[in-house]
Amino acid sequence: MTTLTEEWRKETTYPDKKYKDSIWVNKAYRSKPPTLITGWNHRLQRFCNQFNFIVTEEDFVECLESNPRSPSRVKKDVIVGKPWHMTPHQFRRTLAFYCIKNRLGTLVALKQQFKHLYLSMTEWYTNGGKLASLRDLKVDEKVQKALDEINAETTANKIFRQWHSDETLSGTHGKAIMKMRGDVPTIYSSWDVIYKAVKDGKLTLHGSMHSSEGSPHNFPKAQPCLNRF
């Protein structure tokens, strides 16, 4: 984008030098206010028609199970063999449902995100989410893989920092780590080695309420601290 807009930016007189590295996405319309796009219900339904998003038997069953409080609404709007009846509100509720189903957030966090006045409203938004999590209606392998990668990288980062920094650690094992920093064991020698050990299940984080320490599974007296999102 810097290269593409170089000539444009040369022609522009900025009101303040701090904007000199800013770019305009559309040169011709930068002086006009944005156009409000309306009629999203019809737009989304035309979109489903155009790209042939047809409701299958499996879709219908999952939709019923995911909306236990709205069976009549599902039967009215979701028809097997017809395009999806998509609306903007579905995106909002799907986010809430998906977060609860995959344990990516809490009701309190979603209440703040959705700006609900009452937690009961958030509970209504996520109805079926907890049940779907228990039933495991559909395991999203890509999401689970991404979460596993994030957890592994986070764990590797924490362990690497403990062994390769001047950070003061508390606890018996923390003090032991500090003493060995001058002669780091092979398993903690580099971030890549630590990350591979974490991915292989040979290394994890153990700790207490006050600190967490990287240790092999057989590290003596280590207490596992299992945390999830």
Side-chain angles (χ1 to χ4, degrees), residues 151 204-208 212 217 223-229:
N151 285 334
T204 186
L205 276 176
H206 296 287
S208 64
S212 58
H217 282 305
Q223 297 179 351
C225 180
L226 303 177
N227 295 319
R228 281 292 178 185
F229 289 93

Side-chain angles (χ1 to χ4, degrees), residues 78-146:
V78 182
I79 303 172
V80 176
K82 298 290 185 180
W84 272 100
H85 184 79
M86 190 180 293
T87 64
H89 185 260
Q90 289 178 17
F91 292 97
R92 182 175 170 88
R93 215 212 125 215
T94 297
L95 172 62
F97 174 89
Y98 195 75
C99 285
I100 293 300
K101 176 186 172 183
N102 293 283
R103 297 185 290 278
L104 298 175
T106 65
L107 284 176
V108 174
L110 285 172
K111 175 180 177 295
Q112 295 174 339
Q113 175 70 26
F114 282 71
K115 301 296 187 290
H116 288 155
L117 292 177
Y118 303 104
L119 193 60
S120 58
M121 184 62 183
T122 311
E123 289 176 340
W124 182 89
Y125 259 64
T126 61
N127 84 82
K130 190 171 294 184
L131 185 60
S133 178
L134 295 174
R135 288 180 176 175
D136 203 20
L137 294 178
K138 185 177 180 181
V139 177
D140 194 325
E141 295 180 358
K142 290 184 179 179
V143 170
Q144 189 57 54
K145 184 178 179 180

Side-chain angles (χ1 to χ4, degrees), residues 54-98:
I54 304 301
V55 178
T56 65
E57 289 281 357
E58 293 79 8
D59 293 332
F60 181 73
V61 171
E62 183 176 347
C63 195
L64 276 176
E65 292 179 335
S66 301
N67 296 273
R69 300 183 188 177
S70 309
S72 58
R73 180 71 181 274
V74 172
K75 292 175 182 177
K76 175 179 177 291
D77 291 334
V78 182
I79 303 172
V80 176
K82 298 290 185 180
W84 272 100
H85 184 79
M86 190 180 293
T87 64
H89 185 260
Q90 289 178 17
F91 292 97
R92 182 175 170 88
R93 215 212 125 215
T94 297
L95 172 62
F97 174 89
Y98 195 75

Side-chain angles (χ1 to χ4, degrees), residues 21-59:
D21 292 325
S22 300
I23 60 174
W24 294 103
V25 177
N26 191 317
K27 181 182 178 183
Y29 288 92
R30 65 190 180 194
S31 62
K32 298 181 180 180
T35 302
L36 180 63
I37 301 175
T38 58
W40 277 104
N41 282 338
H42 296 298
R43 286 174 179 270
L44 288 173
Q45 286 158 31
R46 289 201 303 271
F47 177 82
C48 290
N49 280 322
Q50 180 177 349
F51 289 96
N52 205 30
F53 289 163
I54 304 301
V55 178
T56 65
E57 289 281 357
E58 293 79 8
D59 293 332

Side-chain angles (χ1 to χ4, degrees), residues 170-213:
S170 60
T172 303
H173 301 308
K175 292 176 181 177
I177 290 173
M178 292 172 65
K179 288 182 180 180
M180 289 189 287
R181 279 175 175 167
D183 186 18
V184 178
T186 303
I187 195 170
Y188 306 112
S189 59
S190 70
W191 188 91
D192 290 332
V193 173
I194 293 172
Y195 179 73
K196 186 177 186 306
V198 172
K199 290 281 289 182
D200 292 343
K202 298 177 181 178
L203 199 61
T204 186
L205 276 176
H206 296 287
S208 64
M209 293 295 289
H210 304 289
S211 64
S212 58
E213 298 151 7

